[in-house]
Amino acid sequence: MTIPIRLPPFFLMMLVSLAAARGARAFNTAAFLQRVALTSHKNVRPRPTSVVREMCGLVAAVHDVWSPTSQKGEQEAIFDPDVLHATSQILHHRGPDGMQIHYNENFGMGHTRLAIVDPENRKADMPFQLEFDDVTIHLAANGEIYNHEVLYAQIEDPYPLLSHSDCEVIGHVYNKYGGPKAVTMLDGMFAFVIFEEVDGEIKQAFAARDPVGIKPLYYGKTRQGSYMFASELKALVGHVDPATVVNVPAGHYWTPEEGLVCYYNPDWLRKDDYAPWKDPGHSVTDDEIRAAFTKAVQKRMMADVEYGFFLSGGIDSCVVAHDLLPLYRKAREEAGDFRPINTYTVGMANSPDVMAAKAMVEALGGSKYINHHVREFTPDEVFELIPKIVYHMETYEAELIRSAIPNWLLAERAAQDVKMVLTGEGSDELFAGYLYFQDANNSTQIQDELRRIYGMLGNINLHRTDRMTMAHGLEARVPFLDTEFTRLVMSVDPARKMVDPEAVKNNSRGREKTLLRELFQGPNENGHSIPRPVLWRAKAMQCEGVGEDWVSILQNKIASLVSDEEMERAHITYPNNTPHTKEELYYRRIFDEHFHGMEHVINLWEGGGRAMGAAWKSEMYTREGLKNVNLLSHALQEKNVQRRVPERPRSMSSAERAAKEACLAAKAVGYDDFEALLTSGGDDRSLINVETGTNKYHIRPQPVDPLHVFRGSCTGNPPTLRGYSAARKLYDNVLAGCVEDSLDQRLRDVFEDQRNRLKDLLNLPEGSEVILCPSGSDAEYIPLAIARTLHPDAKITNGATQLREVGAGSAPASVGKYFSTHTPLGGKLSEEMEYLTGFEGIDGLAVSAREKDGSVVDSSKAMEEFTESALAHGKFPIVHGVFGGKTGLRDSTMPPSLDGGDKSLGVVDACQGRFTPEELQEWLDQDSLVLFTASKFYQAPPFCGAVIIPTTLANKLRKAPAPTPSDFLGVDGLGGFLTDKEMPPCFECWNPMLSQKHANNIGLALRWEAGLKAMEALGAIDDMERRKAADDWATKVTDLVSRESLLDPWCVERTIVSIRVAKSDGKGHLKMNELRDLYRWMSMDVSGSIPDATPQEKLVLSKPAYIGQPVDVSENHGIVRIALGVESLISYFNNRNETLEGDRRVIRKLAAIAKHFDTLKRSEVNAPLVSVTAR
């Protein structure tokens, strides 16, 4: 019986690193999954399944019950729902729309869906479980079946469909005709796996890949002998014996009895003597070929979502555009939709592709019908993409990786707008499109060579197209490789495909692909023709057409990273498919880091390149690519472009240097540009340690594995998936690629938008204002600066409360001191710098939160006495109240600003963000400044702060003169933390002194975007309902903690539960130095360091959990904290049981570490070596 599951509604990270080293183990679904009862229903019916919605790749595994020597042993790890779920998530990049798993003791099947057809129907999510009387078909498929409606209609007495998914028909046809016949009936691109279940047992397994290899499929055997299938190699890593991995060839199916069987056997491909053109009765007209292509394009328009096409400016993509646009316009006009279609081009400025594509757009009617996007790039930019591209490409074939780089950029850009694109792939393999064909001796060689390179499409061109598009959740369709169109073209006399070398030189008739050019040189149905310079331009592989010289620049840079000694030893290091160049070795090195032992799966071009395997010798290409790139230039490119004498480079601003320092550290361990910027524009707490790959809070600028539990919102947060996606969208769509002046203005607009959104979310009264600042500690400087502005001659004194309960930087910042080794916009400080310039001479009082025994100090009373004393001595007091310290502790009174700020400033430190709208309004009504962050409860990455200015004070600041001395707003003063962009209009008198050209805190904008997205999500829930949910959570978690003998819920404040941890020998409680170890171990897999742990303990010890940092509350002990953040509150509001299961796991791990603390201490458990996931 299949056990359907309901998984927690995690927001999934872009890539999950699976710890499969746990090995196979039995699993207990009751501990973390809700069992759903199966219901009986006649005919086909859906069984209840997971409701986690994610993505389009497949994972499937089944016991080998067919082998005579096979026997079930220990439970396969991949059949564990926890492991199956995580493994399926590894393929999440293949689409953002749905995910499900099915499993029992005999098989596991996971599917991540990119929804193109019937996208809103959740019943269209796979794996399908289709019941046909006495058999259940379990189906996971990747691809599109264009004739699904025709196939279903021809089945006599069909079973009802569950959905309108085109892939569901695979199961129906399989049930009707059997696998070998069914697969030959499918028209489309696909890879699928079927497990056939009868009476609770798997009786048959069947897998297949489409005729051309457009969609990928691999399989291997686990060490226990089970078969495992996946869309990509990365999902097999850690599960199967690498030596057993097989790339299912195009046009093949697999069964356990027969192994791989070729089912796609057209005469033109399989018969060496195929030559129908020699038969006088054979006739294929140009009109028939054109009609077949139009039909191929039309069927690939099947979609219920927005789509576009890749327009490289080469003849292939232009032919697709030539036929597609009339069909697209007609379909849209019939629907009353006149929006233009999106097209995408990638290349360097003035490159052959970019200029030809622009000409094609104009020829097809321009912007009225086409929304054309050009992604320009530089050689330096793409170099940093190589490790990520090799990871996603799963190859080390140099020619393929070169062409994948611009393909990555193209797909990345297109995925911002559409979910599907049409491309011109495959034309060269049908029409003899590569330049080396000019050296062929006769037409027989042409035909044989086309058959050879067609057979490699699934390993080369289509492999690249699938991986680079699906890496961004984008589907690519290839009309040229329609099987009927291919049959017609390959039955044409290959003499029409011969290439004249002189015509290649002259860009004229007779050059490569002349047949194709002649077929489509006339106007389309709209009367538009392909421009002659485009129609007759040279064939350029994508890595060539995007820019004639960038490949050589790239290769030279790579060569500097590979030593001569490495090359000399390459045959020893890599005996299989030994690299011949430094470029090849560099790619191989990266591949081996991810897919060691799977190098045999990669099918390389014979001789190191496509042209080297031909039956004739050609000098056109070497292993490094096209010899003469000047052949690619055409008349549409700008000739003799006047080169500007480069301006003398300006010196970097301090802000740019600071951001660069932060980014270099992050990128050194593998984070991308966006993730690196998330760590910039802060202080030393946010910087990445290159040894661990984490910041001071042991977290990364990436979402945590959704199988790990995060309850550390009171400390520092990794980005949630919601926040990460929002921030990345801001970066990709608004900030990436901006230079200097344009970035200044864009960031100014972004911060203004964010301030306005924050005001709306907090329902701030009219006239109040918001300052955005890098952290809550930095926010402490703002009251000092306001006091100096409004009372320039006053002696300022500052009273701070809850020492040790607020951030360690708050106390020094409250008297104008630096609290970190770095400033957000100035970078690393020199050691002698103690005070911000202009902030010297401020004194103050800092009151501890607790007595030595942990009892609470009456801070409010201390502040009343402080205020009276300050006023009596002619000083201007700034008076603090803390509304939620590290343990959630709240001062009894929140201080007002006396006489509207004329006598004193009241400051409410509400940085934890755990307050109600009514409480905030009360503080503003008494003219208090409010310090707030989105990087605690709202789970933005560390850090992003704000100061809320009440209306009374904002009005006074609007009228205030410029403060003196002006240098207190310079880069060594407040200008090291803020620019005028983060300031609201009421600080007009500050802005000229804060204004710094090229000082842009991009990291702060990205972090605030993440925080605001969380606030907006929570805003959709009624305030009273979420308060009830939070209170209920605290009560239940307190009860869970109380059940553990070594744990004590020492303090509970709103959504923070502070826990005292007893020593296992009964001699007191853990103190701060011990809790710091515990805190670190919580975020690690420490199961292997405790040999005597029970199986249940090892399970919880293996899964990282993130909690709040220890707090020193007493001389006898410290505490650690479990804190509810916005995402877990939303999760709790939606499904309390699932959220509490996460809390239960955290508490059990805390208890297990407490029990085995001495063992862990003796084992000297250290933080794992840095391993950054490619995203």
Side-chain angles (χ1 to χ4, degrees), residues 914-947:
R914 303 171 200 272
F915 54 80
T916 68
E918 294 82 5
E919 288 160 342
L920 174 60
Q921 187 60 53
E922 181 182 332
W923 305 331
L924 296 176
D925 287 345
Q926 64 182 23
D927 299 324
S928 301
L929 295 166
V930 180
L931 312 187
F932 169 71
T933 72
S935 41
K936 299 294 185 184
F937 174 72
Y938 290 104
Q939 294 187 258
F943 292 102
C944 53
V947 179

mmCIF file of all heavy atoms in Angstrom, residues 914-947:
data_model
loop_
_atom_site.group_PDB
_atom_site.id
_atom_site.type_symbol
_atom_site.label_atom_id
_atom_site.label_comp_id
_atom_site.label_asym_id
_atom_site.label_seq_id
_atom_site.Cartn_x
_atom_site.Cartn_y
_atom_site.Cartn_z
ATOM 1 N N ARG A 914 8.578 42.496 18.548
ATOM 2 C CA ARG A 914 7.474 41.709 19.129
ATOM 3 C C ARG A 914 6.544 42.627 19.917
ATOM 4 O O ARG A 914 6.473 42.578 21.153
ATOM 5 C CB ARG A 914 8.057 40.588 20.004
ATOM 6 C CG ARG A 914 9.017 39.678 19.215
ATOM 7 C CD ARG A 914 9.780 38.700 20.094
ATOM 8 N NE ARG A 914 10.966 38.223 19.410
ATOM 9 C CZ ARG A 914 11.004 37.166 18.593
ATOM 10 N NH1 ARG A 914 9.912 36.462 18.391
ATOM 11 N NH2 ARG A 914 12.127 36.805 18.009
ATOM 12 N N PHE A 915 5.863 43.509 19.180
ATOM 13 C CA PHE A 915 4.944 44.448 19.803
ATOM 14 C C PHE A 915 3.663 44.507 18.981
ATOM 15 O O PHE A 915 3.623 44.062 17.830
ATOM 16 C CB PHE A 915 5.567 45.840 19.922
ATOM 17 C CG PHE A 915 6.101 46.401 18.631
ATOM 18 C CD1 PHE A 915 5.258 46.985 17.691
ATOM 19 C CD2 PHE A 915 7.463 46.346 18.345
ATOM 20 C CE1 PHE A 915 5.742 47.501 16.498
ATOM 21 C CE2 PHE A 915 7.958 46.853 17.150
ATOM 22 C CZ PHE A 915 7.095 47.438 16.224
ATOM 23 N N THR A 916 2.633 45.076 19.579
ATOM 24 C CA THR A 916 1.349 45.186 18.896
ATOM 25 C C THR A 916 1.200 46.570 18.294
ATOM 26 O O THR A 916 1.889 47.517 18.702
ATOM 27 C CB THR A 916 0.196 44.943 19.874
ATOM 28 O OG1 THR A 916 0.152 46.026 20.812
ATOM 29 C CG2 THR A 916 0.373 43.627 20.620
ATOM 30 N N PRO A 917 0.297 46.743 17.342
ATOM 31 C CA PRO A 917 0.054 48.083 16.783
ATOM 32 C C PRO A 917 -0.364 49.091 17.842
ATOM 33 O O PRO A 917 0.019 50.266 17.783
ATOM 34 C CB PRO A 917 -1.068 47.839 15.765
ATOM 35 C CG PRO A 917 -0.951 46.404 15.387
ATOM 36 C CD PRO A 917 -0.480 45.698 16.626
ATOM 37 N N GLU A 918 -1.130 48.634 18.841
ATOM 38 C CA GLU A 918 -1.583 49.542 19.894
ATOM 39 C C GLU A 918 -0.411 50.028 20.742
ATOM 40 O O GLU A 918 -0.356 51.209 21.129
ATOM 41 C CB GLU A 918 -2.613 48.844 20.790
ATOM 42 C CG GLU A 918 -3.909 48.491 20.097
ATOM 43 C CD GLU A 918 -3.826 47.186 19.309
ATOM 44 O OE1 GLU A 918 -2.777 46.514 19.379
ATOM 45 O OE2 GLU A 918 -4.812 46.852 18.626
ATOM 46 N N GLU A 919 0.527 49.147 20.995
ATOM 47 C CA GLU A 919 1.692 49.536 21.791
ATOM 48 C C GLU A 919 2.538 50.556 21.041
ATOM 49 O O GLU A 919 2.995 51.554 21.613
ATOM 50 C CB GLU A 919 2.505 48.286 22.156
ATOM 51 C CG GLU A 919 1.819 47.427 23.207
ATOM 52 C CD GLU A 919 2.316 45.995 23.262
ATOM 53 O OE1 GLU A 919 2.947 45.531 22.281
ATOM 54 O OE2 GLU A 919 2.053 45.327 24.278
ATOM 55 N N LEU A 920 2.745 50.321 19.734
ATOM 56 C CA LEU A 920 3.512 51.264 18.934
ATOM 57 C C LEU A 920 2.832 52.632 18.924
ATOM 58 O O LEU A 920 3.484 53.670 19.078
ATOM 59 C CB LEU A 920 3.666 50.730 17.505
ATOM 60 C CG LEU A 920 4.327 51.668 16.500
ATOM 61 C CD1 LEU A 920 5.743 52.040 16.943
ATOM 62 C CD2 LEU A 920 4.350 51.041 15.105
ATOM 63 N N GLN A 921 1.530 52.645 18.742
ATOM 64 C CA GLN A 921 0.807 53.911 18.709
ATOM 65 C C GLN A 921 0.938 54.662 20.040
ATOM 66 O O GLN A 921 1.083 55.889 20.074
ATOM 67 C CB GLN A 921 -0.669 53.659 18.398
ATOM 68 C CG GLN A 921 -1.474 54.934 18.165
ATOM 69 C CD GLN A 921 -0.934 55.753 17.004
ATOM 70 O OE1 GLN A 921 -0.772 55.240 15.906
ATOM 71 N NE2 GLN A 921 -0.636 57.031 17.234
ATOM 72 N N GLU A 922 0.912 53.929 21.132
ATOM 73 C CA GLU A 922 1.058 54.546 22.462
ATOM 74 C C GLU A 922 2.415 55.229 22.590
ATOM 75 O O GLU A 922 2.514 56.344 23.121
ATOM 76 C CB GLU A 922 0.891 53.471 23.541
ATOM 77 C CG GLU A 922 0.995 53.985 24.962
ATOM 78 C CD GLU A 922 0.863 52.870 25.980
ATOM 79 O OE1 GLU A 922 0.198 51.856 25.684
ATOM 80 O OE2 GLU A 922 1.443 53.011 27.080
ATOM 81 N N TRP A 923 3.453 54.605 22.103
ATOM 82 C CA TRP A 923 4.796 55.207 22.201
ATOM 83 C C TRP A 923 4.881 56.459 21.347
ATOM 84 O O TRP A 923 5.471 57.458 21.767
ATOM 85 C CB TRP A 923 5.857 54.197 21.760
ATOM 86 C CG TRP A 923 5.809 52.898 22.507
ATOM 87 C CD1 TRP A 923 5.387 52.707 23.788
ATOM 88 C CD2 TRP A 923 6.163 51.610 21.989
ATOM 89 N NE1 TRP A 923 5.453 51.367 24.124
ATOM 90 C CE2 TRP A 923 5.937 50.666 23.037
ATOM 91 C CE3 TRP A 923 6.638 51.145 20.785
ATOM 92 C CZ2 TRP A 923 6.191 49.298 22.878
ATOM 93 C CZ3 TRP A 923 6.895 49.795 20.628
ATOM 94 C CH2 TRP A 923 6.668 48.885 21.668
ATOM 95 N N LEU A 924 4.328 56.410 20.149
ATOM 96 C CA LEU A 924 4.386 57.578 19.270
ATOM 97 C C LEU A 924 3.535 58.723 19.818
ATOM 98 O O LEU A 924 3.884 59.900 19.650
ATOM 99 C CB LEU A 924 3.934 57.199 17.857
ATOM 100 C CG LEU A 924 4.821 56.171 17.132
ATOM 101 C CD1 LEU A 924 4.234 55.807 15.784
ATOM 102 C CD2 LEU A 924 6.239 56.696 16.960
ATOM 103 N N ASP A 925 2.439 58.386 20.468
ATOM 104 C CA ASP A 925 1.597 59.425 21.062
ATOM 105 C C ASP A 925 2.325 60.186 22.160
ATOM 106 O O ASP A 925 2.009 61.355 22.426
ATOM 107 C CB ASP A 925 0.323 58.808 21.639
ATOM 108 C CG ASP A 925 -0.661 58.386 20.546
ATOM 109 O OD1 ASP A 925 -0.484 58.834 19.390
ATOM 110 O OD2 ASP A 925 -1.588 57.614 20.842
ATOM 111 N N GLN A 926 3.293 59.546 22.803
ATOM 112 C CA GLN A 926 4.057 60.231 23.845
ATOM 113 C C GLN A 926 5.396 60.753 23.305
ATOM 114 O O GLN A 926 6.297 61.071 24.066
ATOM 115 C CB GLN A 926 4.271 59.305 25.050
ATOM 116 C CG GLN A 926 5.114 58.079 24.749
ATOM 117 C CD GLN A 926 5.269 57.148 25.937
ATOM 118 O OE1 GLN A 926 4.447 57.142 26.858
ATOM 119 N NE2 GLN A 926 6.340 56.373 25.940
ATOM 120 N N ASP A 927 5.492 60.799 21.961
ATOM 121 C CA ASP A 927 6.635 61.402 21.261
ATOM 122 C C ASP A 927 7.942 60.639 21.465
ATOM 123 O O ASP A 927 9.036 61.218 21.390
ATOM 124 C CB ASP A 927 6.821 62.870 21.669
ATOM 125 C CG ASP A 927 5.606 63.714 21.329
ATOM 126 O OD1 ASP A 927 4.992 63.446 20.282
ATOM 127 O OD2 ASP A 927 5.283 64.633 22.104
ATOM 128 N N SER A 928 7.859 59.344 21.710
ATOM 129 C CA SER A 928 9.079 58.538 21.855
ATOM 130 C C SER A 928 9.634 58.163 20.489
ATOM 131 O O SER A 928 8.875 57.864 19.555
ATOM 132 C CB SER A 928 8.783 57.255 22.636
ATOM 133 O OG SER A 928 8.274 57.527 23.913
ATOM 134 N N LEU A 929 10.957 58.181 20.383
ATOM 135 C CA LEU A 929 11.609 57.572 19.231
ATOM 136 C C LEU A 929 11.533 56.057 19.408
ATOM 137 O O LEU A 929 11.697 55.549 20.524
ATOM 138 C CB LEU A 929 13.072 58.002 19.140
ATOM 139 C CG LEU A 929 13.351 59.484 18.874
ATOM 140 C CD1 LEU A 929 14.824 59.789 19.157
ATOM 141 C CD2 LEU A 929 13.013 59.830 17.435
ATOM 142 N N VAL A 930 11.310 55.331 18.325
ATOM 143 C CA VAL A 930 11.194 53.878 18.420
ATOM 144 C C VAL A 930 12.263 53.234 17.533
ATOM 145 O O VAL A 930 12.337 53.519 16.335
ATOM 146 C CB VAL A 930 9.794 53.390 17.983
ATOM 147 C CG1 VAL A 930 9.706 51.866 18.100
ATOM 148 C CG2 VAL A 930 8.710 54.051 18.830
ATOM 149 N N LEU A 931 13.086 52.392 18.142
ATOM 150 C CA LEU A 931 14.097 51.636 17.407
ATOM 151 C C LEU A 931 13.491 50.280 17.039
ATOM 152 O O LEU A 931 12.934 49.583 17.898
ATOM 153 C CB LEU A 931 15.359 51.434 18.249
ATOM 154 C CG LEU A 931 15.934 52.657 18.967
ATOM 155 C CD1 LEU A 931 17.273 52.303 19.614
ATOM 156 C CD2 LEU A 931 16.083 53.831 18.020
ATOM 157 N N PHE A 932 13.614 49.923 15.793
ATOM 158 C CA PHE A 932 12.939 48.730 15.272
ATOM 159 C C PHE A 932 13.869 48.029 14.297
ATOM 160 O O PHE A 932 14.670 48.676 13.614
ATOM 161 C CB PHE A 932 11.644 49.171 14.563
ATOM 162 C CG PHE A 932 10.967 48.095 13.762
ATOM 163 C CD1 PHE A 932 10.334 47.049 14.394
ATOM 164 C CD2 PHE A 932 10.944 48.145 12.378
ATOM 165 C CE1 PHE A 932 9.693 46.053 13.660
ATOM 166 C CE2 PHE A 932 10.309 47.167 11.625
ATOM 167 C CZ PHE A 932 9.677 46.119 12.285
ATOM 168 N N THR A 933 13.788 46.711 14.247
ATOM 169 C CA THR A 933 14.509 45.979 13.194
ATOM 170 C C THR A 933 13.579 44.955 12.568
ATOM 171 O O THR A 933 12.646 44.471 13.207
ATOM 172 C CB THR A 933 15.761 45.230 13.723
ATOM 173 O OG1 THR A 933 15.343 44.100 14.492
ATOM 174 C CG2 THR A 933 16.646 46.136 14.547
ATOM 175 N N ALA A 934 13.868 44.638 11.316
ATOM 176 C CA ALA A 934 13.157 43.542 10.645
ATOM 177 C C ALA A 934 13.986 42.272 10.665
ATOM 178 O O ALA A 934 13.610 41.279 10.052
ATOM 179 C CB ALA A 934 12.824 43.933 9.210
ATOM 180 N N SER A 935 15.122 42.306 11.338
ATOM 181 C CA SER A 935 16.042 41.165 11.306
ATOM 182 C C SER A 935 15.979 40.325 12.572
ATOM 183 O O SER A 935 16.896 39.532 12.834
ATOM 184 C CB SER A 935 17.466 41.646 11.043
ATOM 185 O OG SER A 935 17.763 42.815 11.758
ATOM 186 N N LYS A 936 14.939 40.480 13.355
ATOM 187 C CA LYS A 936 14.690 39.582 14.490
ATOM 188 C C LYS A 936 13.412 38.789 14.183
ATOM 189 O O LYS A 936 13.454 37.832 13.441
ATOM 190 C CB LYS A 936 14.556 40.378 15.793
ATOM 191 C CG LYS A 936 15.807 41.174 16.148
ATOM 192 C CD LYS A 936 16.998 40.297 16.461
ATOM 193 C CE LYS A 936 18.191 41.110 16.935
ATOM 194 N NZ LYS A 936 19.391 40.309 17.169
ATOM 195 N N PHE A 937 12.281 39.226 14.736
ATOM 196 C CA PHE A 937 11.034 38.493 14.547
ATOM 197 C C PHE A 937 10.679 38.333 13.067
ATOM 198 O O PHE A 937 10.179 37.287 12.652
ATOM 199 C CB PHE A 937 9.893 39.202 15.279
ATOM 200 C CG PHE A 937 8.546 38.588 15.026
ATOM 201 C CD1 PHE A 937 8.217 37.367 15.582
ATOM 202 C CD2 PHE A 937 7.614 39.218 14.215
ATOM 203 C CE1 PHE A 937 6.978 36.779 15.333
ATOM 204 C CE2 PHE A 937 6.381 38.652 13.962
ATOM 205 C CZ PHE A 937 6.062 37.419 14.529
ATOM 206 N N TYR A 938 10.957 39.360 12.252
ATOM 207 C CA TYR A 938 10.560 39.297 10.841
ATOM 208 C C TYR A 938 11.589 38.598 9.965
ATOM 209 O O TYR A 938 11.424 38.515 8.752
ATOM 210 C CB TYR A 938 10.252 40.702 10.329
ATOM 211 C CG TYR A 938 8.974 41.247 10.935
ATOM 212 C CD1 TYR A 938 9.017 42.200 11.939
ATOM 213 C CD2 TYR A 938 7.737 40.764 10.543
ATOM 214 C CE1 TYR A 938 7.841 42.672 12.528
ATOM 215 C CE2 TYR A 938 6.562 41.231 11.112
ATOM 216 C CZ TYR A 938 6.625 42.183 12.105
ATOM 217 O OH TYR A 938 5.464 42.634 12.676
ATOM 218 N N GLN A 939 12.662 38.119 10.559
ATOM 219 C CA GLN A 939 13.586 37.172 9.939
ATOM 220 C C GLN A 939 14.282 37.661 8.675
ATOM 221 O O GLN A 939 14.606 36.878 7.793
ATOM 222 C CB GLN A 939 12.873 35.840 9.665
ATOM 223 C CG GLN A 939 12.465 35.115 10.937
ATOM 224 C CD GLN A 939 11.925 33.729 10.669
ATOM 225 O OE1 GLN A 939 10.730 33.500 10.677
ATOM 226 N NE2 GLN A 939 12.819 32.787 10.412
ATOM 227 N N ALA A 940 14.521 38.964 8.570
ATOM 228 C CA ALA A 940 15.399 39.451 7.509
ATOM 229 C C ALA A 940 16.827 39.052 7.854
ATOM 230 O O ALA A 940 17.163 38.854 9.021
ATOM 231 C CB ALA A 940 15.290 40.965 7.383
ATOM 232 N N PRO A 941 17.709 38.932 6.864
ATOM 233 C CA PRO A 941 19.107 38.604 7.155
ATOM 234 C C PRO A 941 19.736 39.698 8.013
ATOM 235 O O PRO A 941 19.275 40.844 8.027
ATOM 236 C CB PRO A 941 19.763 38.538 5.774
ATOM 237 C CG PRO A 941 18.638 38.395 4.814
ATOM 238 C CD PRO A 941 17.461 39.076 5.425
ATOM 239 N N PRO A 942 20.783 39.383 8.741
ATOM 240 C CA PRO A 942 21.403 40.386 9.619
ATOM 241 C C PRO A 942 22.162 41.439 8.799
ATOM 242 O O PRO A 942 22.986 41.069 7.982
ATOM 243 C CB PRO A 942 22.369 39.562 10.465
ATOM 244 C CG PRO A 942 22.664 38.347 9.632
ATOM 245 C CD PRO A 942 21.427 38.075 8.843
ATOM 246 N N PHE A 943 21.907 42.682 9.083
ATOM 247 C CA PHE A 943 20.851 43.244 9.906
ATOM 248 C C PHE A 943 20.184 44.362 9.126
ATOM 249 O O PHE A 943 20.736 44.869 8.154
ATOM 250 C CB PHE A 943 21.409 43.804 11.221
ATOM 251 C CG PHE A 943 21.921 42.737 12.145
ATOM 252 C CD1 PHE A 943 23.278 42.478 12.267
ATOM 253 C CD2 PHE A 943 21.027 41.980 12.882
ATOM 254 C CE1 PHE A 943 23.741 41.490 13.108
ATOM 255 C CE2 PHE A 943 21.486 40.992 13.749
ATOM 256 C CZ PHE A 943 22.858 40.732 13.859
ATOM 257 N N CYS A 944 19.016 44.806 9.566
ATOM 258 C CA CYS A 944 18.388 45.976 8.978
ATOM 259 C C CYS A 944 17.535 46.638 10.052
ATOM 260 O O CYS A 944 16.642 46.014 10.606
ATOM 261 C CB CYS A 944 17.569 45.621 7.742
ATOM 262 S SG CYS A 944 16.343 44.327 7.966
ATOM 263 N N GLY A 945 17.870 47.869 10.361
ATOM 264 C CA GLY A 945 17.199 48.580 11.434
ATOM 265 C C GLY A 945 16.425 49.778 10.923
ATOM 266 O O GLY A 945 16.500 50.150 9.755
ATOM 267 N N ALA A 946 15.686 50.383 11.830
ATOM 268 C CA ALA A 946 14.930 51.585 11.499
ATOM 269 C C ALA A 946 14.736 52.396 12.773
ATOM 270 O O ALA A 946 14.704 51.844 13.873
ATOM 271 C CB ALA A 946 13.579 51.233 10.880
ATOM 272 N N VAL A 947 14.616 53.690 12.596
ATOM 273 C CA VAL A 947 14.229 54.577 13.688
ATOM 274 C C VAL A 947 12.946 55.273 13.252
ATOM 275 O O VAL A 947 12.905 55.907 12.197
ATOM 276 C CB VAL A 947 15.318 55.610 14.003
ATOM 277 C CG1 VAL A 947 14.865 56.528 15.143
ATOM 278 C CG2 VAL A 947 16.627 54.926 14.370
#
